[in-house]
Amino acid sequence: MSLRLREVARSFGGVKAVDGASFEVAPGEVHGLIGPNGAGKTTLLNLISGLLQPTSGTIELQGRRIDKLPSNRIAALGVSRTFQNIRLFPELSALGNVVVGLHLKRQGLIWQRLLALPAPRREALQAEATARALLARVGMQAREADAAKNLSYGEQRRVEIARALAADPRVLLLDEPTAGMNRPEAAAIGELVRAVAREGRAVLLIEHNVPLVMKLCDRITVLNFGKVIARGTPAEVARDPQVIAAYLGDEEAA
Amino acid sequence: MRDLFLAYQSLFAYVGINALLALSVYATLSCGQLSLANAGFMAIGAYTGALLTLHTGTSWPLVLVASALLPALVAVPLGLPVLRLRGVFLAIATIGFGEVVRLFFVNWSFANGALGLVAIPQRASLWLIWVCVGAALWVFARLRGSKTGLALQAIREDETAARSMGIDTTSHKLAMLSLGAGLAGLAGALEAHLTFMVSPAGFGFGRVVEMLVQAVVGGASIFFGPLLGAAFLTTLPEILRELSARTGLQPGAFRQMLNGLVLLAVILYLPNGLASLPARLRERKAVK
Amino acid sequence: MGQQALNGIFVGSIYALFAVGYTLVFGVLDILNLAHQAIFMLAAFLALALVEAHLPLFVAMPVAIVAAGLIGIVLERVAFRPLRDRADSNISGLISSLAMATVFEAIAMQVFGPDISRFPLGTFPDRVIRVGSASASLLQVVIVAIALLLMAVLTVLLARTQLGRQIRAVAESPRAARILGVNVNRVIAAAFFLSSALGGAAGVLFALAFNSISPDVGRGVELKGLAVIILGGMGSIPGAVVAGFALGLLETFTVARFGSSFRDAVSFGVLIAVLLARPRGLFGQAAVREG
């Protein structure tokens, strides 16, 4: 499924956090969303996943408008995400977190459960097996029983990705998935992202790790002060004088 | 000797009813919501049961079903507008609801207003009360680890993230509000048929606080916590009644003070209640 | 009709004063202080005790108000501050303030007994003022005046003083305020002092107005206070003022038309109507929906 944004804008009071953003992510594509801090990248992700509603503009999933829907409906339509500040369920285990991610794929069976019939137990074991496989995909199978709050930063990020993949999403939104990771860890995530996209998903990736983004993404959209200042292939974007100015300006300030 | 047995029987009956009430509060706490309406739901169930028994020939089982069903249904229009908003709005709306229900019964002349109803036949036996408690515990135990139970826990820990996983948080919260209302209504009817009487005074806000204290003190993160809390906090004042008599403390004030201080202590220092004590002690030892 | 309007304004001024304190803390801490109504009650009892100890009313009242403010500081320190960093701080804050309210009510019950207490005769001169075809007692006029004065003082304080600016900064973003050098703990304590002092003032005025004080008097007012802050918008002080008077008027006219048993139904009705139609209330800024 493709994701398309048309002139999406979001204001808070008088501040325009996102100002007329338009771009598209195709199935199988890894699309990078980069820009200096405060450029509006996470706000854009929140708009797509339904945590916020745009003040104007439209967001479409395979032609169907999703910009006024609540976040659980958007998730049900095949959109999954991770969060910039990592929002795992702290008391649940790594496995438990991923099983929650399977919610949309699981069967209800509540009455059978109350009557202590065998089917729900089988279903639960199946769900756990699926979750286990997902954890293995991100290399976290050994820590499946540990509470999420007890995992390291990088481990939590990996579990969060597994949880996002659990619902077999058509569109995957990743908010700084490699933040806080060292080079080999980040590279492994990069491999995973590419593999996930190749499965036919549209992946929108916010990242500050610019070399990784350049290597990984098919196309990139660059945001600054809520506006799209450049769009295109990594090579095109890297050459764009406005992008260089934005990043250089950021570096000088830093 | 017989008096002693009868005294204990009464105590166990009250522990059972309080356990149902604490579980009714737990229902919403388990998904991170604070509902303060359960005294109101209890009142609806109590009056429904009492009126059906006193004025119609409805069979006892049907009386119980109606007493649980009516509050459960009332919970839906109460919850729908409020549950899609932030949690504090539920607390506010339920405080208001509880007060309005109490005032409704105070003003309802058909139910004798503030005087309430008396001479309700004693149909609630000890074993019936505990069968109901057992059934409630069963439901919560079976929810645990199920798809729904996991969703409730997710909502409790991070509602926004839960919603992003596709969980319909409003429906889940509404279901729990309704379940809690039904349990409170059932407890109300049982109490009415245990103590022979029903009056609005028994359903004031102090009652809600009592239920809340028992749920929180016992432990609102696991289904048997409320039972522990009910047992502990129903028997404790009985044991301490001697103390209140000797020190000249007003019994009403004493009970309230106890509730307040225990609740405060638990929420500050042992937020997951008595049920979490073994785990906490183990953690403490592991650190050492 | 005019008489009803006067009565409505009179009772509305007390509701507004009570609600302003309530909404101030919500605006700053994003939390509902369920012990506010208990401090309202304690202040009333304190004023009564001082008057019974032969202090003149115009001394007893300010003392009770300041004492209420101090209780508010203690409340914040004991019941809210330890929970500030917790993940579930909303719900646990509600529960701990509820616990404190219960403790306060128990203290009042122990010290003053569960029954209704009244001010001794002659506490306030018994005079009537005529306004057109309607009449108001001197007491009513003074109460409205004091309520308006206190609310005006708060408004000026928030708008013009440094403390007021700091309170608004913390309400906007505690983290940003801290970075800017604001002593957030002290500001929050000050906000609680102001909130509880106003709530206490409302309590004393209420006790004088209706000459009926009991440990559960706060419960009755709490529902009205909640209706007012929801109608006015959580965290909005002008909203609380406007909505307080509006509720007072609405209540008075409803009771005149339908009888006093409907008095509290008005508050609940307003509450639900606002939550259904416009949860934000009249002037509310705070986010109303979850995530």
Side-chain angles (χ1 to χ4, degrees):
Chain A
M1 270 197 307
S2 61
L3 174 71
R4 174 185 242 138
L5 277 72
R6 283 187 221 263
E7 290 304 309
V8 170
R10 170 71 202 203
S11 303
F12 294 104
V15 180
K16 280 209 174 110
V18 175
D19 190 5
S22 303
F23 60 89
E24 199 180 316
V25 184
E29 175 187 346
V30 178
H31 194 110
L33 188 60
I34 63 176
N37 280 321
K41 309 186 294 293
T42 296
T43 308
L44 210 49
L45 234 59
N46 288 341
L47 288 165
I48 298 170
S49 76
L51 255 52
L52 291 172
Q53 313 239 292
T55 32
S56 64
T58 66
I59 303 176
E60 287 168 21
L61 205 59
Q62 202 64 23
R64 178 196 174 141
R65 276 187 67 168
I66 61 170
D67 45 86
K68 300 249 193 297
L69 296 177
S71 52
N72 60 306
R73 290 281 300 125
I74 295 178
L77 289 171
V79 179
S80 278
R81 69 169 293 173
T82 63
F83 294 88
Q84 189 180 27
N85 302 336
I86 306 181
R87 293 180 88 143
L88 287 176
F89 305 111
E91 304 292 329
L92 288 177
S93 66
L95 190 71
N97 267 276
V98 180
V99 173
V100 174
L102 286 168
H103 183 90
L104 287 165
K105 298 283 170 198
R106 292 181 68 184
Q107 287 178 284
L109 302 180
I110 187 103
W111 291 109
Q112 287 162 298
R113 202 158 161 102
L114 287 175
L115 293 169
L117 294 173
R121 186 89 192 98
R122 280 199 299 265
E123 190 274 338
L125 288 171
Q126 222 167 1
E128 282 183 12
T130 310
R132 201 164 278 132
L134 284 158
L135 279 178
R137 207 171 168 194
V138 296
M140 284 296 297
Q141 71 276 33
R143 306 291 301 275
E144 74 169 41
D146 293 346
K149 64 182 179 186
N150 293 334
L151 298 174
S152 77
Y153 197 60
E155 289 172 335
Q156 287 184 7
R157 285 222 177 269
R158 285 191 272 159
V159 172
E160 217 195 5
I161 294 173
R163 187 180 69 173
L165 286 173
D168 197 21
R170 298 289 97 214
V171 175
L172 186 60
L173 310 170
L174 298 172
D175 202 339
E176 301 193 30
T178 68
M181 288 186 186
N182 55 37
R183 193 99 63 87
E185 276 184 314
I189 296 296
E191 296 281 314
L192 176 64
V193 170
R194 169 146 311 295
V196 156
R198 248 187 264 123
E199 288 163 2
R201 308 178 210 274
V203 178
L204 182 61
L205 176 70
I206 295 180
E207 255 305 337
H208 274 296
N209 185 340
V210 177
L212 178 71
V213 166
M214 291 295 164
K215 204 177 91 157
L216 189 55
C217 297
D218 302 305
R219 280 189 299 165
I220 300 178
T221 295
V222 187
L223 231 55
N224 199 9
F225 295 120
K227 282 182 161 35
V228 175
I229 60 172
R231 239 198 308 254
T233 65
E236 290 166 3
V237 161
R239 280 197 300 266
D240 190 308
Q242 279 200 293
V243 173
I244 298 171
Y247 270 98
L248 226 50
D250 203 39
E251 266 170 44
E252 272 173 358
Chain B
M1 193 57 198
R2 194 160 178 273
D3 289 334
L4 200 70
F5 174 70
L6 284 173
Y8 276 132
Q9 198 177 37
S10 163
L11 186 65
F12 279 129
Y14 283 120
V15 171
I17 290 185
N18 284 337
L20 281 174
L21 292 169
L23 282 169
S24 79
V25 172
Y26 166 73
T28 43
L29 285 177
S30 72
C31 55
Q33 304 300 298
L34 184 62
S35 158
L36 297 167
N38 288 15
F41 290 130
M42 184 187 182
I44 294 175
Y47 272 94
T48 302
L51 288 169
L52 282 176
T53 301
L54 289 174
H55 294 279
T56 71
T58 317
S59 65
W60 178 225
L62 271 181
V63 167
L64 284 179
V65 167
S67 306
L69 203 55
L70 187 56
L73 289 173
V74 170
V76 175
L78 175 66
L80 268 177
V82 180
L83 285 171
R84 58 199 166 98
L85 307 173
R86 285 173 63 191
V88 66
F89 290 96
L90 180 69
I92 292 174
T94 51
I95 290 175
F97 176 78
E99 184 64 13
V100 161
V101 167
R102 191 184 66 83
L103 288 165
F104 170 77
F105 285 116
V106 164
N107 285 306
W108 196 22
S109 49
F110 181 67
N112 273 342
L115 293 173
L117 304 165
V118 291
I120 304 171
Q122 189 181 49
R123 295 216 186 132
S125 59
L126 184 61
W127 78 263
L128 175 64
I129 292 173
W130 280 94
V131 161
C132 291
V133 175
L137 285 173
W138 171 257
V139 169
F140 284 116
R142 296 306 297 163
L143 269 181
R144 189 175 175 223
S146 72
K147 173 187 171 189
T148 305
L150 215 53
L152 291 171
Q153 198 174 353
I155 294 171
R156 178 169 181 230
E157 300 205 5
D158 190 334
E159 187 171 342
T160 304
R163 213 155 347 142
S164 302
M165 315 270 113
I167 296 174
D168 184 350
T169 57
T170 303
S171 306
H172 281 77
K173 294 192 286 187
L174 190 61
M176 284 294 115
L177 183 69
S178 197
L179 176 62
L183 283 173
L186 179 65
L190 287 170
E191 190 187 71
H193 291 79
L194 177 74
T195 62
F196 323 109
M197 53 163 268
V198 146
S199 92
F203 304 115
F205 199 70
R207 202 72 201 261
V208 170
V209 175
E210 231 174 57
M211 297 182 219
L212 179 64
V213 175
Q214 292 174 7
V216 171
V217 167
S221 54
I222 186 106
F223 69 91
F224 57 81
L227 176 60
L228 272 179
F232 181 60
L233 283 168
T234 308
T235 52
L236 188 63
E238 298 300 312
I239 299 170
L240 294 176
R241 195 203 290 264
E242 279 298 296
L243 201 74
S244 89
R246 269 179 230 171
T247 56
L249 289 170
Q250 292 231 21
F254 178 68
R255 196 189 187 91
Q256 259 205 294
M257 179 73 86
L258 188 69
N259 279 338
L261 288 176
V262 171
L263 184 59
L264 189 66
V266 167
I267 201 79
L268 288 176
Y269 301 115
L270 192 66
N272 284 326
L274 291 172
S276 68
L277 205 49
R280 280 282 282 265
L281 291 172
R282 251 184 283 135
E283 264 174 46
R284 205 65 77 72
K285 247 195 240 168
V287 168
K288 289 203 185 116
Chain C
M1 168 80 180
Q3 182 66 60
Q4 301 305 332
L6 277 182
N7 290 344
I9 289 175
F10 165 58
V11 84
S13 68
I14 300 178
Y15 294 164
L17 187 59
F18 179 72
V20 164
Y22 228 162
T23 216
L24 174 63
V25 160
F26 189 86
V28 173
L29 259 194
D30 212 32
I31 207 150
L32 192 64
N33 173 16
L34 289 177
H36 191 62
Q37 51 86 9
I39 297 182
F40 168 94
M41 176 269 298
L42 283 178
F45 269 119
L46 189 57
L48 174 65
L50 291 172
V51 165
E52 282 181 342
H54 305 300
L55 244 65
L57 184 61
F58 69 86
V59 173
M61 181 157 159
V63 170
I65 293 175
V66 170
L70 294 173
I71 296 175
I73 293 183
V74 170
L75 172 72
E76 192 271 324
R77 191 65 190 80
V78 169
F80 287 102
R81 197 183 299 187
L83 300 173
R84 225 182 284 161
D85 296 318
R86 282 224 215 141
D88 64 342
S89 58
N90 300 4
I91 220 187
S92 50
L94 286 172
I95 293 178
S96 77
S97 66
L98 202 54
M100 288 300 281
T102 307
V103 170
F104 289 154
E105 282 169 36
I107 291 175
M109 227 199 297
Q110 177 59 34
V111 174
F112 298 102
D115 301 316
I116 295 178
S117 309
R118 297 183 201 283
F119 277 104
L121 281 170
T123 302
F124 197 90
D126 206 355
R127 261 206 295 240
V128 173
I129 297 178
R130 298 221 153 270
V131 184
S133 61
S135 64
S137 70
L138 180 61
L139 177 63
Q140 288 176 318
V141 171
V142 169
I143 285 177
V144 175
I146 293 178
L148 288 172
L149 177 68
L150 288 172
M151 290 189 275
V153 165
L154 180 76
T155 308
V156 166
L157 197 151
L158 284 176
R160 298 283 173 88
T161 67
Q162 192 191 33
L163 175 64
R165 273 194 294 278
Q166 290 182 330
I167 289 178
R168 280 183 286 137
V170 171
E172 186 79 37
S173 161
R175 209 177 309 148
R178 191 173 287 125
I179 293 174
L180 290 170
V182 172
N183 184 336
V184 173
N185 282 345
R186 210 142 34 103
V187 166
I188 291 180
F192 262 88
F193 176 86
L194 290 169
S195 159
S196 302
L198 289 178
V204 177
L205 292 177
F206 184 92
L208 284 168
F210 300 105
N211 209 9
S212 161
I213 314 166
S214 58
D216 60 358
V217 75
R219 292 262 149 251
V221 176
E222 178 170 57
L223 176 56
K224 300 174 209 268
L226 291 173
V228 169
I229 62 175
I230 292 280
L231 175 60
M234 306 271 274
S236 161
I237 289 174
V241 176
V242 170
F245 282 108
L247 185 72
L249 284 165
L250 189 60
E251 211 179 73
T252 308
F253 281 117
T254 304
V255 166
R257 179 79 181 74
F258 297 107
S260 65
S261 41
F262 283 90
R263 191 195 307 271
D264 293 285
V266 173
S267 301
F268 186 64
V270 166
L271 194 67
I272 287 291
V274 173
L275 288 179
L276 275 171
R278 190 188 156 99
R280 199 170 2 124
L282 291 170
F283 301 108
Q285 303 275 8
V288 285
R289 260 151 234 276
E290 194 69 59

